[in-house]
Amino acid sequence: MTGLATPALGAVDVMRLPVMPIVLRHALERAGEGRPTETLARAIGRDAGLAMRFLAATASAAGIQQSANTSLEQQVHTLGGGIAQTILMRAARDRLREPASAAAAQDALAHWAHSLHCAHIAQAVAEACAYSSPHEAYLAGLLHDVGMLALAADMPHAWSGIAAAAAHEGQLLELELDRLETSHAEVSCMLATRIGLPGHLADALLLQHAPYAELLGTHKLVRMLWVTEACTERSGSAPDLQTYARLIGLPPEALDAALRQAAVRFIQDVQELSAPVPAADRWWRLPVPAHEDPARTPEAAWQAGADTRLLDTVMQSASLQQAPALLMGAEDTGGVLSRLRSITAALLGLQMFVAFLHDSAARSLTGWFVSPQRLAPAELDIPMNAGTSLVVRTAIERTPQQAPSTHGGERLRGVDIEIARLLQAPALATVPLTAGSALLGVLAFGVSQEQAQRMALDTGMLQRLAEMASHALTHRKAHADQQRLKETDLRERLRNSARRLVHEARNPLTVMKTHLELLGERVRNGDPIDKDIRVLRAEIDRVSEIIGRIGSADLSVEKAQAPTDINALVRELMVVYREALFVTRAIEVGLELDPRLPSVMTDPNALKQVLLNFWKNASEAMPAGGQVRVRTLDRVNYEGRLMVEISVSDTGTGMPAEMLETLFSERLTMSKGADRGYGLNNAYTLVKQLGGHVLCRSEPERGTMFTVLLPRQSGASAARA
């Protein structure tokens, strides 16, 4: 063998490889139900043609070879659910457009069963050999005869004649090489290489029928696949386990155990798909014996039924295509249920239902009646221990139910009779609403006698609709919870904003009230008060601006940047607050203002709030009198930047170390709903918004110093910038 397929096969379209309808239907159902990637990949991995379509699609989407990545789960994840469903729908279209003949159906079933069986053997052998990638071995076993599918699809007449003339697989290979100048093994290798599978996997497909002597020294996967194929030969004699086990370095009993394990897995897959198990002598493609009528074989009858069921699944998928978007577009739980009713009425003729929503706290199912006219409580509350109820059984078992059963032996009892009467129907069909392992509720539909007869066909669609509705309900609940959190957060922010602003307004108002009382005495003494009135008017305007921000969710201040003479701002502010904060408490005030200090670009109102908070904090720390010093300095280097400094120091009580660590934290301001401490947190926030830094040094009984550093950017330099 050369490993090079004939040029005639160079244009083989992997997307035309035949697919078993029962596997395709199984995969379509899982894709439509939004099952996890692992579940969908397992369904796809039961058919060689379907697996090749996905592998080719991934290689095409990536534009590069897939190298060592042979995990079908990863391939499906890479493509995404939408593309996966598109591939499945195209495969279904191809199958229904050209259904297999009776003879071909029998051949396809035999080929499929042999490929699936080899996949399980290869995986079990790989696990026994402790091979690093058992899923890679599974894929090699599944694809080992994919060349047969390609030959049958690309040159059906030539290859069918060869296959019909072959008495066994060895003769089949000889005829292929003689008439086609290639073999199905070479074609399998060519296709694997084309879609970018690892080189050793392609070699395993090529050498699966090589003589034993040529296998020594080959890759472990090559030898494992050869053993897999050899153990399924129909030679009439038992496999030579001694020789085969020696080739892959296993004890014979370990190989025998792997074969038995693979047989169990294979039968489980076949049973899950409800497929017939072909006779042992048909586990690869063999011609139908002349004395048999192909149309009467069990395999042919099963294939015809499989095509019918596949068509039904395709039609369901097409019918349900818009359902998820409709359900997800509902605004609340009632909207989801109302839209679901419209969909079930249009698709299944089920005009009304009762939605029993699960109350996990009360362990009960509360009913809501959903009809074209209304959505209202059904006054039905079923406890989860009501074991005779069809609704409760559906909730506990998480499976659809129907009563009365068309098979007899089942009847409506207790509360189910009330539900049926409410729905004006002689029978009930129920489906669970679940989100993962969580129970959301149960849908109970009233069905007529005619609907009950065909409910076996409609249950699948009804269950898929219930899963879509569950997803929509979960999404709506998560969205509603998120909205509640946002609203709670907004209310809390507004509440904190109001507290902050009220605190900032109350401080100057309290001080100004005291100052006005002092002004009254000065007026009586005939002292000039023009400057005081001007400063008070400016402070009143500032307080008015603070009050105007109450109700805003934005906690930041409006930074009205302007060239500001900080020394003048300190003197002006001291006019109003010296007597009210300091003189009346026997506190001496000292100003040490650097005359070289330039004007800086800052928000004067914000800076006033900062200074007022520090001054008020200092006055409260010296109830028995003391000293306050306000100092400004120019050209302070802080982390390589020139800053101006404003410091406020006092000789008050000071603070312990543990208080200093959380001095500017908002947590200190929330005690028992009071607003104490808001000032320092506000001052810290304002300075940060101004691009500056706040420092604090304090020691018990020795006083406190707050230092503010602001960027030294003069008004002139800012204008030039």
Side-chain angles (χ1 to χ4, degrees):
M1 287 182 279
T2 64
L4 301 175
T6 179
L9 282 167
V12 169
D13 183 2
V14 173
M15 292 299 182
R16 290 180 54 223
L17 293 177
V19 177
M20 285 295 289
I22 185 62
V23 177
L24 186 53
R25 175 176 174 241
H26 201 64
L28 268 171
E29 288 174 345
R30 272 131 194 83
E33 294 165 1
R35 299 286 183 90
T37 300
E38 180 184 2
T39 305
L40 179 57
R42 182 167 176 263
I44 293 167
R46 287 171 171 164
D47 184 272
L50 193 55
M52 284 293 288
R53 288 175 183 245
F54 274 84
L55 292 167
T58 308
S60 175
I64 56 174
Q65 288 200 337
Q66 302 178 58
S67 64
N69 183 13
T70 55
S71 167
L72 276 174
E73 182 178 350
Q74 184 59 44
Q75 308 290 333
V76 175
H77 177 76
T78 300
L79 290 172
I83 299 298
Q85 194 161 19
T86 300
I87 294 172
L88 294 171
M89 290 294 283
R90 174 181 172 177
R93 182 201 66 182
D94 294 344
R95 171 71 190 186
L96 295 173
R97 181 177 291 174
E98 299 179 10
S101 64
Q106 177 176 307
D107 295 344
L109 180 63
H111 179 279
W112 168 76
H114 174 61
S115 296
L116 184 59
H117 186 218
C118 282
H120 283 299
I121 292 177
Q123 182 178 18
V125 168
E127 291 169 351
C129 292
Y131 186 64
S132 59
S133 302
H135 65 268
E136 183 181 73
Y138 178 95
L139 187 62
L142 184 70
L143 302 181
H144 80 286
D145 275 346
V146 73
M148 289 187 182
L149 296 178
L151 289 168
D154 197 67
M155 44 184 67
H157 300 297
W159 194 78
S160 62
I162 294 172
H168 52 78
E169 192 158 6
Q171 189 176 18
L172 177 67
L173 288 166
E174 294 175 359
L175 290 173
E176 288 174 341
L177 290 169
D178 180 58
R179 300 184 187 182
L180 303 177
E181 298 183 357
T182 190
S183 70
H184 64 269
E186 292 181 342
V187 175
S188 297
C189 175
M190 180 268 291
L191 293 176
T193 302
R194 180 190 296 176
I195 63 174
L197 292 178
H200 58 270
L201 195 154
D203 291 341
L205 302 183
L206 175 65
L207 299 174
Q208 59 182 294
H209 302 296
Y212 180 89
E214 296 181 10
L215 298 171
L216 300 178
T218 58
H219 193 280
K220 189 70 170 284
L221 182 63
V222 174
R223 287 177 280 133
M224 289 190 301
L225 185 61
W226 189 93
V227 168
T228 295
E229 175 65 13
C231 287
T232 57
E233 287 284 355
R234 273 67 54 191
S235 60
S237 59
D240 184 357
L241 295 185
Q242 293 282 349
T243 301
Y244 302 159
R246 185 166 57 252
L247 182 64
I248 55 178
L250 275 183
E253 57 272 18
L255 176 57
D256 184 61
L259 294 175
R260 294 177 184 277
Q261 184 182 44
V264 171
R265 294 174 178 175
F266 169 68
I267 294 300
Q268 287 174 344
D269 272 1
V270 170
Q271 290 176 343
E272 184 176 344
L273 294 169
S274 301
V277 180
D281 63 346
R282 290 182 180 168
W283 280 17
W284 70 286
R285 203 243 59 84
L286 284 176
V288 180
H291 63 273
E292 289 189 16
D293 180 1
R296 301 186 127 185
T297 60
E299 292 91 339
W302 174 81
Q303 282 283 54
D307 280 341
T308 300
R309 291 188 292 273
L310 173 61
L311 177 61
D312 181 60
T313 300
V314 171
M315 296 303 293
Q316 286 189 18
S317 297
S319 301
L320 296 175
Q321 190 172 10
Q322 300 301 321
L326 288 172
L327 294 171
M328 292 294 287
E331 294 184 357
D332 51 26
T333 298
V336 172
L337 296 177
S338 295
R339 292 190 180 195
L340 178 63
R341 191 217 64 80
S342 298
I343 295 170
T344 57
L347 295 181
L348 303 172
L350 301 174
Q351 301 295 332
M352 62 185 76
F353 61 83
V354 178
F356 289 93
L357 302 182
H358 181 223
D359 185 340
S360 56
R363 287 191 52 78
S364 64
L365 295 161
T366 303
W368 286 80
F369 180 62
V370 187
S371 73
Q373 292 78 29
R374 64 192 179 101
L375 169 66
E379 298 183 1
L380 291 170
D381 198 348
I382 309 176
M384 287 293 288
N385 59 1
T388 61
S389 170
L390 193 72
V391 173
V392 173
R393 193 190 318 161
T394 302
I396 294 174
E397 298 178 6
R398 312 291 173 89
T399 57
Q401 306 282 342
Q402 183 180 349
S405 171
T406 54
H407 305 293
E410 182 75 33
R411 62 184 180 84
L412 295 176
R413 291 182 290 180
V415 69
D416 294 341
I417 295 177
E418 293 185 59
I419 299 171
R421 184 179 296 114
L422 177 64
L423 295 172
Q424 304 173 22
L428 292 180
T430 56
V431 289
L433 293 169
T434 58
S437 60
L439 175 69
L440 303 184
V442 175
L443 300 177
F445 295 87
V447 295
S448 64
Q449 292 181 352
E450 295 77 14
Q451 289 170 329
Q453 293 295 324
R454 67 169 189 269
M455 188 50 65
L457 296 175
D458 291 341
T459 298
M461 180 179 285
L462 199 58
Q463 192 169 8
R464 290 176 66 182
L465 282 170
E467 290 175 348
M468 294 175 188
S470 298
H471 182 63
L473 289 171
T474 304
H475 175 77
R476 295 314 314 168
K477 182 180 183 301
H479 179 72
D481 291 345
Q482 187 178 30
Q483 287 298 113
R484 280 194 293 271
L485 286 175
K486 286 183 177 179
E487 291 171 3
T488 300
D489 179 65
L490 179 59
R491 285 195 297 269
E492 188 62 25
R493 289 176 63 196
L494 287 171
R495 187 180 298 114
N496 286 339
S497 174
R499 285 175 177 170
R500 287 175 180 272
L501 295 173
V502 166
H503 176 274
E504 291 304 304
R506 181 183 295 158
N507 279 347
L509 287 174
T510 301
V511 178
M512 281 189 287
K513 179 181 178 182
T514 302
H515 189 74
L516 286 171
E517 293 173 355
L518 295 173
L519 281 182
E521 295 181 8
R522 293 173 63 182
V523 169
R524 286 191 292 272
N525 296 334
D527 297 333
I529 60 170
D530 293 346
K531 185 176 181 180
D532 298 81
I533 295 296
R534 176 174 55 79
V535 175
L536 278 172
R537 184 180 294 114
E539 283 299 283
I540 290 171
D541 290 341
R542 187 170 68 85
V543 172
S544 176
E545 187 270 333
I546 292 173
I547 294 173
R549 295 204 307 272
I550 293 178
S552 171
D554 184 6
L555 301 183
S556 65
V557 297
E558 189 71 26
K559 295 182 286 294
Q561 299 285 332
T564 303
D565 184 340
I566 294 178
N567 288 342
L569 182 145
V570 171
R571 293 189 188 97
E572 183 179 276
L573 204 61
M574 195 60 76
V575 169
V576 176
Y577 297 108
R578 179 192 294 266
E579 292 190 59
L581 285 177
F582 304 124
V583 174
T584 56
R585 301 191 184 199
I587 298 173
E588 296 180 8
V589 178
L591 300 182
E592 298 179 15
L593 307 180
D594 188 344
R596 300 169 302 170
L597 200 70
S599 64
V600 296
M601 291 295 294
T602 189
D603 182 346
N605 283 337
L607 189 54
K608 286 181 179 181
Q609 283 184 246
V610 172
L611 291 175
L612 179 56
N613 277 306
F614 290 159
W615 291 357
K616 188 171 183 293
N617 192 75
S619 69
E620 291 174 349
M622 296 180 290
Q627 294 178 344
V628 166
R629 184 175 65 173
V630 181
R631 185 177 67 172
T632 61
L633 287 173
D634 188 20
R635 305 183 68 83
V636 177
N637 187 309
Y638 182 83
E639 295 183 348
R641 295 182 63 194
L642 284 182
M643 316 286 280
V644 296
E645 176 185 311
I646 311 166
S647 64
V648 177
S649 60
D650 64 62
T651 58
T653 56
M655 291 176 281
E658 57 270 18
M659 183 177 293
L660 271 176
E661 292 177 358
T662 56
L663 183 63
F664 300 115
S665 171
E666 189 173 353
R667 288 180 299 169
L668 294 178
T669 72
M670 301 301 292
S671 174
K672 298 182 180 180
D675 62 357
R676 281 201 62 181
Y678 267 124
L680 294 181
N681 178 258
N682 285 349
Y684 178 84
T685 302
L686 289 170
V687 172
K688 286 297 182 182
Q689 291 174 357
L690 294 173
H693 305 277
V694 183
L695 308 176
C696 180
R697 180 168 55 85
S698 185
E699 188 174 346
E701 306 307 326
R702 299 194 62 178
T704 300
M705 173 184 285
F706 289 99
T707 301
V708 175
L709 298 175
L710 295 176
R712 187 187 186 278
Q713 184 180 23
S714 67
S717 62
R720 286 194 299 271

